[in-house]
Amino acid sequence: MKIGLRSDNGAEERLRFARQLGADGASIWARACPGYAERCTLTVDDVLQMRERFDAHELDLTGIGLGGECIKNQLLGLPERDREIENVCRTIRSIGEAYSDGAPSPVVIIDQRTTYWARGGPWWHPGYERLPTGRGGVSLTTFDADRIQGEMDDRPAGEVSREEVWARIAYLYERIVPVAEAAHVRLATHPDDPPMEYYRGVHQALVGFAGLKKLVELVPSAYNGLLLCLGCMQEAGEDVPQVIRYFGGQKKIFYVHFRNVLGKVPRYVEVFPHEGDGDMVANLKALKEVGYEGYVVPDHHFGLAGDGDWRECSRAWSVGYLRGLMQALDV
């Protein structure tokens, strides 16, 4: 196993810091590449230039997140989605061509939350808030469904049934999975977060084990798999080591987000990994058991005194904690 970070923008100072911490790689949002926001697709040159930047810091480019703004119509099931899906296919082909020398390519990180494009609430989406409730006033991300009870008319995508959500997902994956197979680029899908059955007018599909199982079976392929967020699974009340064993046994875990929570839906707090309800030692042991050799990425960083915009102190703490666990478990 290797340690990754979310650099978000691939900035030189972040990559230098990641290397100093001992991370093995980092991910970006596709919008980190100039022109993506206008084109909504990556060219081969975009990917090669970013790869060269990472190589200069002896880091792997581990993943490229598409974001929600360039697949809004696909998430909404609107006619304009065909153009967006073709852009996704172009991006996948560009990544494959940029890594045609046989080096491991970054995964394409996909999020199918229907309201992913619609920001709202005091932090990210309604129900979330960052509060100084941790030890010594550490800022922690909290979720409480009661916070959105007064916002029940907040349905940016309208009322969407689970059947319709699945139909939209199927429409996308039936078109992009064959392209990913041809390009030898893996598609890593993130679970719904918060993992609520009903959120902002949407009957969500990817809230736990059953939804993720249906996703990987929807279009069977060695290139259709998961970004397994351990925090999301804990929030959903799943037996996380068992989830790891099931999907890891099928080699469907392409990427791992590493975080812990106290509580579960409808309210929880994202805490230091050793303070939560999840057993992070057991989770790493399960990943080792199934032979996972990919990236484990500290996620949703808390706020420590001395943090900058990228929460550098918090990331350093997380990498040190994770590296210590890996060394102790020999993974």
Side-chain angles (χ1 to χ4, degrees):
M1 274 178 267
K2 295 170 282 189
I3 294 177
L5 287 177
R6 298 177 64 171
S7 83
D8 297 336
N9 61 13
E12 295 284 352
E13 64 272 16
R14 293 186 178 185
L15 300 186
R16 182 168 60 252
F17 187 70
R19 181 59 181 152
Q20 291 173 355
L21 292 183
D24 302 293
S27 65
I28 61 167
W29 291 107
R31 58 179 173 267
C33 297
Y36 179 81
E38 294 74 32
R39 299 190 312 267
C40 284
T41 188
L42 294 179
T43 67
V44 177
D45 283 344
D46 289 333
V47 182
L48 284 173
Q49 289 173 17
M50 193 61 71
R51 179 182 176 181
E52 289 171 3
R53 183 186 302 180
F54 275 67
D55 286 347
H57 291 277
E58 300 181 83
L59 294 168
D60 291 334
L61 175 54
T62 62
I64 299 176
L66 298 182
E69 61 274 14
C70 282
I71 55 170
K72 176 180 177 180
N73 292 297
Q74 183 272 317
L75 293 170
L76 293 174
L78 298 176
E80 294 86 347
R81 65 184 174 180
D82 288 331
R83 182 186 71 254
E84 294 177 342
I85 293 172
E86 180 52 37
N87 285 337
V88 173
C89 291
R90 290 193 186 102
T91 291
I92 293 169
R93 293 187 190 102
S94 293
I95 295 170
E97 187 171 339
Y99 283 82
S100 59
D101 60 353
S105 69
V107 300
V108 173
I109 299 170
I110 301 176
D111 198 312
Q112 285 298 287
R113 280 175 282 182
T114 304
T115 58
Y116 189 42
W117 51 274
R119 290 175 180 255
W123 176 56
W124 173 242
H125 292 306
Y128 288 103
E129 193 170 358
R130 293 188 71 90
L131 299 171
T133 56
R135 63 192 189 216
V138 169
S139 176
L140 302 176
T141 297
T142 71
F143 179 82
D144 189 338
D146 286 346
R147 294 191 187 122
I148 59 176
Q149 293 309 305
E151 303 180 46
M152 294 310 291
D153 291 332
D154 173 40
R155 297 178 173 86
E159 190 74 18
V160 187
S161 70
R162 186 165 290 108
E163 292 74 19
E164 177 60 25
V165 171
W166 276 116
R168 296 174 189 177
I169 292 173
Y171 192 90
L172 172 66
Y173 282 71
E174 287 167 359
R175 287 157 178 78
I176 66 173
V177 170
V179 175
E181 288 180 336
H184 304 292
V185 173
R186 294 177 299 166
L187 308 175
T189 301
H190 194 291
D192 288 322
D193 190 9
M196 296 179 68
E197 295 286 341
Y198 181 78
Y199 182 66
R200 301 185 80 186
V202 179
H203 294 267
Q204 298 193 120
L206 306 177
V207 296
F209 172 80
L212 299 184
K213 182 174 182 291
K214 183 172 180 177
L215 176 79
V216 298
E217 293 174 350
L218 191 64
V219 183
S221 169
Y223 293 89
N224 178 19
L226 303 175
L227 187 168
L228 188 64
C229 177
L230 306 185
C232 289
M233 294 298 100
Q234 189 69 40
E235 293 159 10
E238 298 286 4
D239 182 330
V240 182
Q242 285 299 99
V243 172
I244 291 170
R245 291 187 184 98
Y246 180 84
F247 291 113
Q250 297 188 19
K251 304 302 179 187
K252 288 297 184 180
I253 302 176
F254 296 165
Y255 213 65
V256 172
H257 277 173
F258 186 88
R259 61 182 176 87
N260 205 349
V261 298
L262 279 171
K264 59 183 179 180
V265 167
R267 59 190 56 85
Y268 50 85
V269 182
E270 299 181 15
V271 295
F272 287 87
H274 64 291
E275 294 179 336
D277 293 328
D279 187 336
M280 306 310 277
V281 174
N283 291 339
L284 276 184
K285 285 181 176 178
L287 286 167
K288 178 181 179 180
E289 180 183 321
V290 299
Y292 179 71
E293 296 181 345
Y295 279 88
V296 180
V297 181
D299 192 34
H300 290 196
H301 297 279
F302 31 85
L304 291 171
D307 269 338
D309 291 342
W310 195 46
R311 300 191 180 276
E312 292 86 352
C313 294
S314 299
R315 289 177 195 273
W317 189 98
S318 297
V319 169
Y321 174 82
L322 183 53
R323 182 64 72 191
L325 279 190
M326 287 180 165
Q327 184 175 355
L329 298 173
D330 190 26
V331 299

